[in-house]
Amino acid sequence: MTRPNPLLSGLAGRCPNCGEGHLFDGFLKVAPQCEACGYDLAKADSGDGPAVFVILIAGFVVAFAALYVELAFTPPIWLHLLLWLPLTVMVSLGLLRPMKGVMLAAQIANRASQARTDD
């Protein structure tokens, strides 16, 4: 049996170890262990990495789309708010879970662990 690509499994929200079980136990809460293979997922922590990437990607998409619409059509400010605020929320929420899955999968695939302070 071949192991799945951990990054693609994380992107899909599946266990990076087996590719079968669920990685999340809610929208963003990491499951304590894989339901299929029993892999311990509790030690994985993505930190603020996914949020940073989501901010950069969503900001790039929305800012340049808003700039293009402003220069091409010059709509009133209320229309900008009506368009771009919901789009920003949708893009951010849509990207947050896959990005967290990829970051957790990369951490697990590279056997990264949290920094230790004990000697």
Side-chain angles (χ1 to χ4, degrees), residues 5-16 23-24 26-30 46-55 57 89-107:
N5 183 337
L7 297 179
L8 292 177
S9 296
L11 189 64
R14 298 290 181 183
C15 173
L23 181 59
F24 296 104
F27 183 64
L28 290 175
K29 183 178 182 230
V30 180
S46 63
D48 293 335
V52 171
F53 284 113
V54 167
I55 288 169
I57 293 168
V89 171
M90 288 188 299
V91 169
S92 297
L93 290 177
L95 287 175
L96 196 54
R97 184 175 166 137
M99 286 304 237
K100 185 168 183 169
V102 167
M103 296 292 276
L104 290 171
Q107 181 183 18

Side-chain angles (χ1 to χ4, degrees), residues 45-114:
D45 180 25
S46 63
D48 293 335
V52 171
F53 284 113
V54 167
I55 288 169
L56 291 173
I57 293 168
F60 177 80
V61 169
V62 173
F64 282 105
L67 182 63
Y68 174 77
V69 168
E70 175 62 32
L71 294 176
F73 305 110
T74 317
I77 192 70
W78 64 267
L79 189 56
H80 275 297
L81 293 173
L82 192 66
L83 287 173
W84 308 119
L85 288 177
L87 182 65
T88 303
V89 171
M90 288 188 299
V91 169
S92 297
L93 290 177
L95 287 175
L96 196 54
R97 184 175 166 137
M99 286 304 237
K100 185 168 183 169
V102 167
M103 296 292 276
L104 290 171
Q107 181 183 18
I108 291 170
N110 293 314
R111 293 176 178 80
S113 61
Q114 301 300 320

